[in-house]
Amino acid sequence: MAILRIILVPFAVATLLTLTCAQQSSTSTHEPVLDVTSMDRSVDPCVDFFAYSCGGWIKNNPIPPDQSSWDTYSKMQDENLARLRGILEEASLPNASRNAVTQKIGDYYASCMDEKAVDAKGADPLKPGLERIAKLNSKTDIADVAASMIDQNVLFRFDSIQDFRDANQVIADADQGGLGLPDRDYYTKDDAKSQELRKAYVAHVEKMFELLGDRPDTAAAEAQTVMRIETALAKGSMTRVERRDPKALDHKMTGAELEKLSPEFQWQVYFTKVGMPSLGSLNVTAPNFFKAMSEQLNSESLADWKTYLRWHLVHADAPFLSSAFVNENFAFYGKTLRGQQEIQPRWKRCTRGVDGDLGEALGQAYVDKYFSHEAKQQALKMVKEIEAAMGQDIQSLPWMSAPTKQQALVKLHAVANKIGYPDKWRDYSKLEIVRGDELGNVDRSRQFEFNRQLAKIGKPVDRGEWDMTPPTVNAYYNPQMNDINFPAGVLQPPAFDPMSDAAPNYGDTGGTIGHELPHGFDDEGRQFDAQGNLRDWWTLDDAKEFQKRADCISSQYSNYTIIDDIKINGKLTLGEDVADLGGLLLAYMAWQQDTKSEKLEPIDGLTPDQRFFVGYGQSWCGQTRDETKRLRATVDPHSPEKYRTNGVVSNMPEFQQAFHCKAGSPMVNRNRCRVW
Ligand SMILES: [Zn+2]
């Protein structure tokens, strides 16, 4: 799934797009979509367009202590959290008049906010889990315990996915997992920073064992055990770049074949325990991982596996335990890993928790209050214009043959547009939320979600489903659904402002809507057909021509430095970089079409074309802490904001004309790249 942008907080928040607000008046105080005070006009736009568009913003918006990065979209997300807080505080009042939905979100939130009660329980809520692990008598029982720790990232992930070869069917899927650091590369890289981080990680694991009551010397040895097991699992794991090729993830096999691949794990016990005793076949995303896992099960002792399981239990549950656990967890994952100075206030963490576990219940209340019918219609209008632009673009491509164009258009016309929120809300009636039982609520929510995913197996795909909650400030394209999704949370100012002239709206919101469509045609998305099947619909020559153009982008971005000597991994960010460039070109075409009968005048000393591009540049205003830059360099498939701006405009002659940039300027790419 290709999302617009990731923010590395407990769940991904990101960016993008659009519009709105009929209810908003001209006296509202939100920032305009093009804010001249956010610019730095002392910078030459042909030298560094990002600094020109965003220099003022960066000066005026220091990163708040509770954030690891700060940009226009995280600001929107933060404002959205405050709105959600209002909804939750009202719903959590003991004598509020509530319906079934507000009861759940209100009681979940109240339980989370009651820090005194959570603190008083200390590590007690972990007792049943710890006892289950302590009682393990043999390695063959590990499968049984793993099945009771479904969302604690033990060993691997088990879930349902759309069948790569038949997008209408849902099948079971087993995938790599089981690590405490954010990526396998953290265990394998040898540079000084990586070694330093591994040391800090081991020290953190040790402290967590001490919080469970282990003696310091025991805890130190246990932390080494965790590191050793996780390193072996990491080495068996696929890299993020390998995982960008869907064909490399498609390995359908029978249960018996999986048992043969990974004989030391009792699969039948696991499947029976999770309620699928007669599972016939499944996809195994990363076969080598399961081989490695099996070898580790064989070579490590039962005692060491118990240590590994205890770590993952306390690690996954730490955010919902007493302050000692919460603070130690933040010290490593927030401060050391991301550079965040302070933990987010409790209300933000609890609000995110409700959004994560009861997102469509909270989303229902959010949409009622903050998302208008007009906003939905305006967003849909812009989506249609940009789709039309993409249709024209495909037809005019010089490098693609007629048969492939024909197929591309079929796919484009089949893209489903999902705007705001799902047509049918998720039913949470079977999920029990108990006021005062914080970790219990979290555990039951995890189980509910796990069961919901597994219940889909063997059934036709529900194409109305969403992967993001309505309040999310982000957007995504899903190649197996062939749909683009713009949650209500992102359809608001300042990304789009009906009071503004059209140019910056198209540069900002148009660019972000435009970004999602080419994902269906990037190096990953192009391998899926109109229905979402992994099926090659390209002629050989067209595929070669595509690859040539994609390589141009990949080489361009691989030259950009993120921090120190770390460059962008252009193979990791390729899909997003292709989407960024295609997205802005489409938005430009749609804007020209929409305003072709108007006479546009300069405003604030900027021509209409300049306003279009500054609108785009300002959608990416932001800054990031150094630690988070390093983290993103490894895990984020998106390029840093600066290059999402400069990398794109330097490929566009329309930009160079708008700012009269001379050949040889940094914002004029000598070897101009273009795919879509
Ligand atoms: Zn994207």
Side-chain angles (χ1 to χ4, degrees):
M1 175 178 107
I3 65 176
L4 180 60
R5 154 173 187 277
I6 63 170
I7 287 188
L8 301 155
V9 277
F11 41 90
V13 166
T15 214
L16 167 36
L17 120 79
T18 174
L19 159 28
T20 159
C21 269
Q23 66 266 36
Q24 161 197 335
S25 75
S26 55
T27 56
S28 75
T29 56
H30 72 263
E31 291 161 30
V33 61
L34 191 164
D35 187 349
V36 286
T37 68
S38 291
M39 298 171 66
D40 179 353
R41 285 168 133 165
S42 71
V43 174
D44 180 349
C46 300
V47 171
D48 183 348
F49 188 61
F50 178 73
Y52 172 81
S53 303
C54 294
W57 193 98
I58 289 167
K59 209 171 98 207
N60 299 332
N61 291 277
I63 306 175
D66 72 339
Q67 304 286 332
S68 57
S69 62
W70 195 235
D71 48 56
T72 46
Y73 293 109
S74 46
K75 250 178 116 165
M76 281 168 71
Q77 183 69 45
D78 221 49
E79 282 158 19
N80 233 1
L81 279 180
R83 293 193 185 114
L84 296 174
R85 178 192 196 178
I87 292 169
L88 290 170
E89 285 187 344
E90 205 180 308
S92 65
L93 294 174
N95 31 18
S97 83
R98 307 190 294 180
N99 58 31
V101 166
T102 44
Q103 177 270 319
K104 288 199 202 297
I105 60 175
D107 286 348
Y108 187 114
Y109 183 72
S111 312
C112 179
M113 284 303 288
D114 192 350
E115 192 167 12
K116 237 165 106 183
V118 173
D119 272 344
K121 289 182 185 169
D124 285 358
L126 287 183
K127 268 189 187 152
L130 289 170
E131 276 167 19
R132 239 189 329 256
I133 296 167
K135 279 192 199 142
L136 266 176
N137 281 326
S138 101
K139 284 197 263 182
T140 55
D141 295 335
I142 288 175
D144 187 68
V145 172
S148 67
M149 297 174 71
I150 38 98
D151 205 26
Q152 279 136 346
N153 193 20
V154 166
L155 293 173
F156 61 92
R157 298 186 179 279
F158 187 67
D159 206 342
S160 63
I161 58 165
Q162 266 170 281
D163 190 336
F164 282 109
R165 300 171 213 185
D166 178 1
N168 289 321
Q169 286 298 314
V170 182
I171 59 171
D173 181 67
D175 198 355
Q176 65 191 39
L179 307 180
L181 285 167
D183 188 83
R184 55 145 352 253
D185 287 0
Y186 277 87
Y187 297 86
T188 56
K189 284 199 299 198
D190 251 347
D191 58 284
K193 281 274 177 225
S194 300
Q195 294 184 24
E196 197 183 299
L197 258 177
R198 282 198 289 274
K199 255 189 213 152
Y201 175 61
V202 170
H204 164 64
V205 176
E206 182 181 331
K207 280 190 201 135
M208 293 296 269
F209 279 122
E210 286 179 31
L211 287 176
L212 286 179
D214 298 355
R215 289 170 29 156
D217 52 340
T218 311
E222 289 169 331
Q224 294 296 343
T225 297
V226 167
M227 192 63 186
R228 189 179 68 244
I229 293 179
E230 289 187 356
T231 302
L233 295 177
K235 285 181 177 161
S237 299
M238 297 173 80
T239 66
R240 279 179 200 256
V241 170
E242 286 165 348
R243 293 175 66 88
R244 292 201 63 249
D245 178 8
K247 284 199 288 297
L249 309 175
D250 176 27
H251 310 282
K252 204 170 174 178
M253 55 179 83
T254 62
E257 282 168 326
L258 176 59
E259 278 172 11
K260 215 171 137 201
L261 179 73
S262 193
E264 298 294 326
F265 188 79
Q266 303 301 305
W267 289 101
Q268 201 47 54
V269 171
Y270 184 87
F271 292 145
T272 303
K273 182 88 182 256
V274 300
M276 316 216 71
S278 49
L279 187 66
S281 66
L282 76 168
N283 187 59
V284 176
T285 306
N288 286 338
F289 172 83
F290 289 96
K291 233 190 258 177
M293 180 184 104
S294 190
E295 283 159 16
Q296 286 305 301
L297 281 166
N298 184 38
S299 62
E300 296 285 351
S301 70
L302 176 63
D304 287 347
W305 279 111
K306 286 184 176 183
T307 297
Y308 169 86
L309 293 168
R310 283 176 81 224
W311 153 244
H312 278 279
L313 179 74
V314 65
H315 169 55
D317 292 349
F320 318 106
L321 297 172
S322 59
S323 306
F325 289 93
V326 170
N327 294 339
E328 175 53 33
N329 185 60
F330 170 75
F332 180 73
Y333 288 97
K335 209 164 188 174
T336 304
L337 207 52
R338 294 176 169 83
Q340 197 177 320
Q341 298 303 296
E342 286 172 12
I343 194 165
Q344 295 212 322
R346 194 166 185 94
W347 71 264
K348 285 191 190 177
R349 288 179 274 140
C350 291
T351 301
R352 288 179 186 283
V354 182
D355 186 44
D357 283 338
L358 287 157
E360 289 194 14
L362 177 58
Q364 215 172 327
Y366 170 82
V367 162
D368 284 348
K369 213 163 167 177
Y370 295 107
F371 191 59
S372 67
H373 178 70
E374 290 79 1
K376 187 163 174 159
Q377 293 315 309
Q378 286 185 51
L380 197 56
K381 173 178 173 279
M382 205 178 238
V383 168
K384 294 228 158 107
E385 287 170 357
I386 289 172
E387 275 175 359
M390 180 133 204
Q392 284 169 16
D393 175 61
I394 288 170
Q395 272 157 338
S396 67
L397 285 178
W399 56 269
M400 190 184 265
S401 70
T404 307
K405 280 183 182 175
Q406 187 52 38
Q407 297 275 328
L409 289 169
V410 168
K411 178 164 181 177
L412 175 68
H413 295 140
V415 172
N417 300 316
K418 286 149 78 174
I419 311 280
Y421 53 90
D423 291 340
K424 187 168 165 271
W425 294 106
R426 191 166 300 169
D427 176 10
Y428 292 99
S429 57
K430 293 214 173 86
L431 169 56
E432 193 195 3
I433 298 298
V434 180
R435 204 174 175 101
D437 186 12
E438 158 75 340
L439 186 58
N441 290 336
V442 171
D443 275 337
R444 282 185 293 273
S445 300
R446 288 167 171 167
Q447 193 66 49
F448 173 82
E449 176 59 14
F450 184 72
N451 294 344
R452 193 180 75 80
Q453 292 297 345
L454 262 49
K456 298 180 196 170
I457 294 168
K459 300 193 184 122
V461 167
D462 171 8
R463 296 217 172 231
E465 213 187 335
W466 282 64
D467 296 328
M468 278 180 186
T469 68
T472 305
V473 184
N474 204 346
Y476 69 93
Y477 170 78
N478 181 337
Q480 287 182 283
M481 295 282 232
N482 196 23
D483 63 1
I484 50 178
N485 302 256
F486 301 101
V490 75
L491 303 175
Q492 55 178 331
F496 183 92
D497 183 354
M499 298 303 161
S500 161
D501 53 319
N505 278 334
Y506 275 90
D508 186 321
T509 296
T512 42
I513 293 177
H515 169 96
E516 297 307 333
L517 269 184
H519 271 314
F521 306 89
D522 68 21
D523 59 316
E524 193 171 359
R526 77 175 188 86
Q527 301 189 49
F528 295 87
D529 69 14
Q531 284 72 45
N533 303 302
L534 183 55
R535 182 180 70 80
D536 193 359
W537 46 271
W538 293 63
T539 67
L540 209 58
D541 283 347
D542 289 335
K544 268 191 211 147
E545 290 297 319
F546 172 89
Q547 196 54 49
K548 231 195 299 183
R549 284 160 179 79
D551 288 346
C552 176
I553 293 198
S554 187
S555 326
Q556 177 194 349
Y557 282 79
S558 296
N559 280 318
Y560 295 138
T561 299
I562 298 178
I563 183 171
D564 307 330
D565 58 349
I566 304 175
K567 299 257 202 255
I568 290 179
N569 179 350
K571 289 200 162 65
L572 176 63
T573 61
L574 178 56
E576 298 300 336
D577 298 334
V578 167
D580 279 343
L581 177 57
L584 195 60
L585 281 160
L586 297 177
Y588 188 84
M589 289 169 71
W591 169 58
Q592 298 258 294
Q593 178 66 22
D594 192 51
T595 54
K596 66 180 178 206
S597 57
E598 295 169 33
K599 174 147 175 33
L600 304 175
E601 300 289 346
I603 302 174
D604 296 326
L606 295 166
T607 67
D609 273 65
Q610 289 173 342
R611 292 179 67 77
F612 172 88
F613 286 107
V614 174
Y616 176 69
Q618 291 197 342
S619 73
W620 296 120
C621 290
Q623 49 194 331
T624 303
R625 296 190 192 279
D626 289 352
E627 292 85 347
T628 296
K629 283 182 186 169
R630 289 190 191 96
L631 173 62
R632 285 192 182 167
T634 304
V635 305
D636 192 349
H638 305 86
S639 294
E641 284 81 3
K642 177 177 172 181
Y643 302 117
R644 296 189 78 166
T645 309
N646 290 352
V648 168
V649 299
S650 62
N651 280 323
M652 288 180 69
E654 297 86 347
F655 168 81
Q656 288 135 29
Q657 274 159 25
F659 288 94
H660 312 292
C661 299
K662 295 199 179 71
S665 310
M667 294 297 101
V668 180
N669 194 355
R670 218 176 341 142
N671 181 19
R672 186 191 160 207
C673 303
R674 175 164 182 187
V675 182
W676 299 103

